[in-house]
Amino acid sequence: MDSSTIVVKYLAYTWEPKWEAIRLESNGIILTTCRDKVTGLIACPICLNANSTCLGKSATHTEIKSEISLFFSIDDLIEHIKNFHSRGLSSKLEEIRKRMGEARSD
């Protein structure tokens, strides 16, 4: 974690976010997530589950995380997603590839 990341675990006792939905774009990447109206901090839509928090959609899962990552810029958020969340995605894709290969050999 770099200095541009704020972890809510340390702010939780004194800070109550006022979330608003925001659409961000950088280098052709478009993200819709939550931003705190007071501090301007941008939440990771995966860590926070932006669908149920500020986007007005029903939650796709009910997992509540004890820590969320907040960022000062969309570029920092994109790096977080690429470096942290994409690791799990690549292992899931590999698992699907294996299952599909096994299904073809039957």
Side-chain angles (χ1 to χ4, degrees):
M1 189 175 321
D2 61 26
S3 61
S4 64
T5 303
I6 295 177
V7 179
V8 171
K9 180 168 93 173
Y10 302 111
L11 297 174
Y13 297 110
T14 60
W15 175 63
E16 175 103 16
K18 306 289 186 223
W19 296 121
E20 64 181 346
I22 185 169
R23 183 178 184 268
L24 303 166
E25 185 174 350
S26 178
N27 299 316
I29 298 172
I30 299 170
L31 294 169
T32 305
T33 188
C34 305
R35 177 178 62 187
D36 180 48
K37 292 178 184 179
V38 176
T39 64
L41 291 170
I42 303 165
C44 170
I46 300 167
C47 294
L48 179 68
N49 192 355
N51 278 340
S52 63
T53 303
C54 70
L55 300 180
K57 301 176 184 174
S58 62
T60 55
H61 63 286
T62 57
E63 178 183 344
I64 304 293
K65 299 185 180 195
S66 61
E67 294 182 7
I68 61 170
S69 297
L70 300 168
F71 302 91
F72 294 106
S73 75
I74 184 174
D75 295 323
D76 293 336
L77 172 57
I78 290 169
E79 284 302 310
H80 164 75
I81 291 171
K82 286 189 325 191
N83 294 322
F84 184 73
H85 295 293
S86 67
R87 286 183 283 176
L89 179 60
S90 54
S91 65
K92 287 178 185 176
L93 288 172
E94 186 59 35
E95 181 181 319
I96 291 169
R97 283 188 193 111
K98 284 181 183 178
R99 279 191 276 163
M100 289 180 71
E102 289 171 4
R104 287 185 194 148
S105 63
D106 290 342

